[in-house]
Amino acid sequence: MGGAVSAGEDNDELIDNLKEAQYIRTELVEQAFRAIDRADYYLEEFKDNAYKDLAWKHGNIHLSAPCIYSEVMEALDLQPGLSFLNLGSGTGYLSSMVGLILGPFGVNHGVELHSDVIEYAKQKLDFFIKTSDSFDKFEFCEPSFVTGNCLEISPDCTQYDRVYCGAGVQKEHEDYMKNLLKVGGILVMPLEEKLTKITRTGPSAWETKKILAVSFAPLIQPNHADSGKSRLVHLPPVAVRSLQDLARIAIRGTIKKIIHQETMSKNGNGLKNPPRFKRRRVRRRRMETIVFLDKEVFASRISNPSDDNNNSEDIEDERQEEETKTSELKPDPPVNFLREKVLSLPLPDPLKYYLLYYREK
């Protein structure tokens, strides 16, 4: 699946293309996509393909195409504080983007069949938390992953506000998936070759909308050949945050408000920064002179004697012009204002690092 939009040179350009094609339509979804670089979830040797609108699979590791994730995120209609269940959570890329929107008081759970993929997802999550400046721009609902078959979830599990399944769901499992939802909740899943949005409008009432045609590998059926009985998947309990953790969230939120107010004052009532400009790559074609005599073609590769000189001058002028534009448009290095503000506070170092989640610079 994929190929609906042009490839980007970087994550931002990929998001620009998804917006232009109307796959990304809301600000919250755009912010989440920009905050997490898709290439960070690729193995190093495959990163050249990260900004193409294509699915990627290597062994058990799999990422859907960006256009699919965009439609999923938009269809889920995510809001802060909701609970989310990701069935077939894979690399954790989608769960991490969802966590940026759910905020610190949401619930973010994932079920993944392959234990090696769970380990990969945890490594990527740890890398994001420790190294990404985006982490400090949001209050994050950290995903929790469990290993198991998503068709064997314990019947006494809690229901969720939002559920996504990343594998093709057979018709006989449709009701099973619906029962994971709270009333008012939204389920998004590939059902009968269509990405489908199902809203639970009552205890036994549903609204169904087909979003687009898709092709997903089907859900793997439980295998009871070894033991002869089901291996129930127990989802993580909904944890109550400690008073210490709540204090950290409140302090970080207050500091962010102060930074926002200072930025508004400095920029003149919050005027937006100038838009980013893309550097346009210009290729100049060389014109050849073709001579026709008596209906025959002669000297088809004779060029104007001044062409070479003019061409080299044009290229030099173009190079200088591009260098000038590049220096003018070169953005300032990104600054993590929250980190700077916390480190400047008259507090003991251990408390500062706690407020920063012990993150690397």
Side-chain angles (χ1 to χ4, degrees), residues 174-194:
E174 181 179 354
D175 288 341
Y176 170 89
M177 294 291 178
K178 287 178 176 178
N179 288 327
L180 296 171
L181 273 185
K182 294 179 181 179
V183 173
I186 295 173
L187 163 66
V188 178
M189 62 181 177
L191 180 67
E192 297 182 312
E193 301 297 308
K194 296 284 194 301

Side-chain angles (χ1 to χ4, degrees), residues 133 136-137 252 255-256 258-260 262-263 266-267 273 332-345 356 359:
D133 277 344
D136 282 333
K137 295 176 183 176
R252 284 168 62 93
I255 294 173
K256 286 180 183 179
I258 293 170
I259 292 170
H260 178 67
E262 291 175 349
T263 304
K266 194 178 295 183
N267 290 348
N273 292 328
D332 295 328
V335 178
N336 189 329
F337 293 106
L338 178 67
R339 184 183 184 87
E340 287 194 348
K341 185 71 76 173
V342 168
L343 292 176
S344 70
L345 294 173
L356 294 171
R359 298 179 65 243

